[in-house]
């Protein structure tokens, strides 16, 4: 395989481009207890001329996605300096976004998209309790129409767009190559060609700049310390850049929540529900949440950059028949969504398309600060002595531990 080209962004000092402040990352936590141990994958090894090295890489990935659904990705083609520049742009957005643009670009999650600006008052357009989370999300329309983009980042759209394109068409493409090999599909780009949506820098997925501001005791109590509730993403893969403030948690095999450690420059990769279904349960959709940080980081803001990769919208959600792995070993029934989709297919019921599945979940998101919905008897149920959030989308029942 030919060596992969590294990221080559547009110049930050191009004529007429304003200077912006360098982002100053907060210090990492000194706490070490209750942190997960994740597999770290060196993506550059995919370019190795030694087949044994590449095969070992595939085996590492196979173990990680079956056991955790989460992994670190390193040496993926973006330098630390280039990444720092992207965080400086994200910080500039959240410190210079005008009130006029906040109102003009306000999101419409009822549409099934997070597109635009999310205010810090919950995950519905109507303002609810203050949650301290602000986001700006780029979908196809934002890439194509810069009137839908905050004025403060217009001078940097060439850099933002180039970055998202590299994540989609280089980083995620290589990641899907590894997954295609794990599933023993007919050729390396099978998932990229037949599953990943295209047509914009982020396809039918989206690119996000987010900031989590510290919350007061009242908000923390109302949400039980949770910033975003436990969930599995509904796309193929999520590419989240590791940041010093430790808020991200994963649900371990011990049925406990564990913080994801900070790994400078690394991407945190989690598997989405779409890949769990397409793989017949061989890939595990990652159950995760955003929690309050350790005590020594409680006053810090958490800046975040994420790319949510998705599949083609009209793709029907069922296992890939071309996978030799599935043909040989059959499908695996995890607790997750694959088991429910299997039940629907066996009953002869129509399964939703990828677009229907993801859009229904966005439109029905429940805020952690919603003290009515987040109670037993509403969205929560007690099963075998543990509290679970129980939802239903298109006849598919999802049960997630709280």
């Amino acid at each position: 395989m030919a060596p992969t080209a590294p990221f080559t962004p547009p110049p930050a000092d191009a004529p007429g481009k304003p200077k912006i402040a360098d982002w100053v990352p907060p210090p990492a936590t000194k706490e070490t207890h209750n942190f997960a141990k994740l597999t770290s994958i060196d993506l550059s090894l995919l370019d190795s001329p030694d087949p044994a090295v590449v095969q070992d890489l595939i085996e590492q990935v196979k173990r990680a996605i079956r056991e955790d659904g989460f992994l670190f990705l390193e040496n993926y083609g973006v330098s630390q300096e280039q990444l720092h520049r992207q965080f400086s742009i994200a910080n500039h957005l959240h410190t210079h976004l005008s009130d006029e643009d906040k109102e003009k670009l306000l999101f419409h999650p009822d549409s099934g998209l997070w597109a635009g600006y999310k205010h810090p008052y919950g995950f519905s357009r109507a303002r609810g309790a203050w949650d301290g989370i602000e986001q700006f999300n780029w979908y196809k329309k934002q890439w194509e129409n810069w009137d839908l983009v905050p004025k403060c980042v217009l001078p940097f759209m060439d850099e933002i767009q180039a970055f998202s394109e590299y994540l989609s068409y280089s980083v995620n493409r290589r990641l899907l190559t590894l997954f295609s090999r794990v599933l023993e599909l007919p050729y390396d780009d099978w998932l990229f060609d037949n599953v990943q949506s295209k047509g914009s820098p982020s396809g039918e997925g989206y690119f996000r700049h987010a900031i989590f501001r510290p919350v007061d005791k009242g908000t923390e109590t109302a949400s039980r310390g949770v910033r975003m509730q436990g969930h599995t993403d509904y796309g193929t893969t999520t590419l989240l850049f590791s940041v010093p403030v430790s808020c991200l948690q994963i649900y371990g095999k011990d049925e406990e929540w564990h913080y994801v450690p900070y790994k400078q420059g690394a991407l945190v990769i989690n598997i989405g529900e779409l890949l769990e279904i397409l793989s017949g349960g061989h890939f595990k959709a990652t159950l995760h949440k955003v929690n309050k940080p350790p005590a020594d980081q409680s006053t810090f803001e958490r800046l975040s950059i994420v790319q949510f990769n998705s599949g083609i919208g009209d793709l029907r959600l069922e296992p890939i028949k071309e996978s030799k792995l599935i043909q040989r070993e059959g499908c695996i029934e995890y607790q997750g969504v694959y088991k429910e989709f299997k039940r629907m297919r066996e009953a002869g019921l129509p399964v939703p398309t990828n677009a229907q599945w993801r859009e229904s979940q966005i439109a029905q998101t429940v805020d952690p600060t919603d003290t009515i919905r987040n109670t037993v008897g509403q969205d929560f149920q007690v099963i075998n002595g543990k509290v679970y959030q129980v939802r239903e989308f298109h006849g598919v029942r999802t049960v997630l531990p709280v």
Side-chain angles (χ1 to χ4, degrees):
M1 182 176 290
T4 304
F7 180 47
T8 52
D13 57 355
K17 186 175 288 188
K19 291 186 177 180
I20 58 174
D22 281 342
W23 175 61
V24 180
T29 181
K30 292 183 173 62
E31 294 190 26
T32 57
H33 70 283
N34 197 32
F35 277 77
K37 293 182 179 179
L38 300 183
T39 301
S40 187
I41 298 298
D42 183 341
L43 190 57
S44 69
L45 295 179
L46 186 59
D47 295 335
S48 173
D50 185 346
V53 171
V54 177
Q55 186 57 41
D56 182 63
L57 178 66
I58 294 166
E59 291 302 322
Q60 289 181 52
V61 171
K62 188 174 183 177
R63 286 193 299 272
I65 58 182
R66 277 187 165 180
E67 293 176 8
D68 301 317
F70 244 127
L71 53 86
F72 281 125
L73 200 68
E74 298 184 276
N75 296 324
Y76 47 85
V78 179
S79 71
Q80 188 63 39
E81 180 182 3
Q82 292 166 343
L83 183 55
H84 190 87
R85 170 67 178 175
Q86 293 294 326
F87 272 91
S88 295
I89 293 172
N91 186 61
H92 182 77
L93 184 151
H94 286 296
T95 54
H96 290 76
L97 186 59
S98 68
D99 290 340
E100 178 186 358
D101 274 348
K102 288 179 180 180
E103 189 62 34
K104 173 188 171 186
L105 307 174
L106 190 62
F107 67 167
H108 287 268
D110 288 350
S111 68
L113 303 175
W114 293 124
Y117 169 71
K118 178 214 169 291
H119 55 58
Y121 298 95
F123 283 84
S124 61
R125 185 175 170 87
R127 285 166 168 77
W130 190 82
D131 65 4
I133 304 170
E134 292 183 77
Q135 302 170 349
F136 192 82
N137 298 299
W138 277 266
Y139 282 77
K140 192 172 189 288
K141 286 185 177 180
Q142 280 69 31
W143 298 122
E144 294 177 344
N145 182 0
W146 288 6
D147 286 339
L148 302 178
V149 172
K151 292 184 179 66
C152 63
V153 293
L154 286 177
F156 316 106
M157 280 301 294
D158 58 341
E159 296 179 73
I160 298 169
Q161 183 165 326
F163 188 56
S164 180
E165 285 176 343
Y166 189 79
L167 295 177
S168 288
Y169 295 94
S170 180
V171 178
N172 200 52
R173 183 174 185 170
R174 284 177 282 156
L175 195 57
L176 293 180
T177 290
L178 287 171
F179 294 168
S180 290
R181 293 194 184 186
V182 169
L183 290 173
E184 301 174 37
L185 290 167
Y187 60 95
D188 283 351
D189 266 347
W190 199 97
L191 287 173
F192 182 79
D193 289 347
N194 295 283
V195 174
Q196 177 162 313
S197 61
K198 305 175 185 69
S200 82
S202 51
E204 292 178 48
Y206 57 101
F207 180 79
R208 169 180 291 171
H209 286 164
I211 192 163
F212 294 74
R213 306 188 192 279
V215 297
D216 58 28
K217 287 295 182 184
T219 300
E220 183 179 312
T221 300
S223 63
R224 303 174 309 283
V226 176
R227 305 300 301 271
M228 295 179 70
Q229 288 179 337
H231 64 283
T232 48
D233 291 345
Y234 31 79
T236 52
T237 61
T238 300
L239 279 55
L240 170 69
F241 290 90
S242 186
V243 293
V245 179
S246 297
C247 288
L248 185 64
Q249 292 188 331
I250 63 171
Y251 195 69
K253 289 181 287 187
D254 59 358
E255 299 187 349
E256 299 291 341
W257 291 101
H258 300 276
Y259 283 107
V260 173
Y262 171 52
K263 198 175 190 67
Q264 187 179 36
L267 271 167
V268 181
I269 306 295
N270 76 58
I271 304 300
E273 294 167 348
L274 177 56
L275 277 185
E276 180 175 309
I277 297 163
L278 296 179
S279 71
H282 284 276
F283 292 3
K284 180 182 177 183
T286 314
L287 179 54
H288 60 287
K289 68 177 180 178
V290 181
N291 205 53
K292 66 178 181 180
D296 62 354
Q297 294 186 317
S298 62
T299 61
F300 298 154
E301 292 182 340
R302 177 179 180 261
L303 189 64
S304 176
I305 299 177
V306 195
Q307 175 118 331
F308 296 91
N309 297 299
S310 187
I312 299 163
D314 59 5
L315 189 70
R316 286 288 171 184
L317 301 179
E318 57 187 10
I320 300 169
K321 297 179 178 64
E322 292 85 348
S323 167
K324 290 183 179 178
L325 176 68
I326 296 176
Q327 293 171 11
R328 184 177 64 254
E329 298 185 14
C331 298
I332 300 173
E333 291 191 4
Y334 283 124
Q335 174 273 328
V337 294
Y338 171 69
K339 186 174 182 178
E340 281 290 300
F341 274 87
K342 180 174 181 286
R343 176 190 59 78
M344 291 184 72
R345 289 196 315 276
E346 290 175 346
L349 300 172
V351 297
T353 64
N354 182 39
Q356 290 171 334
W357 178 245
R358 71 189 181 216
E359 290 170 10
S360 64
Q361 293 191 63
I362 289 173
Q364 298 180 53
T365 296
V366 178
D367 296 323
T369 53
D370 188 329
T371 55
I372 297 176
R373 294 285 299 276
N374 295 324
T375 56
V376 173
Q378 294 289 319
D379 282 16
F380 289 3
Q381 293 182 19
V382 178
I383 303 173
N384 295 328
K386 287 197 171 186
V387 180
Y388 291 82
Q389 184 184 51
V390 181
R391 308 287 301 283
E392 187 169 308
F393 308 102
H394 295 280
V396 180
R397 186 170 182 260
T398 63
V399 181
L400 300 174
V402 176

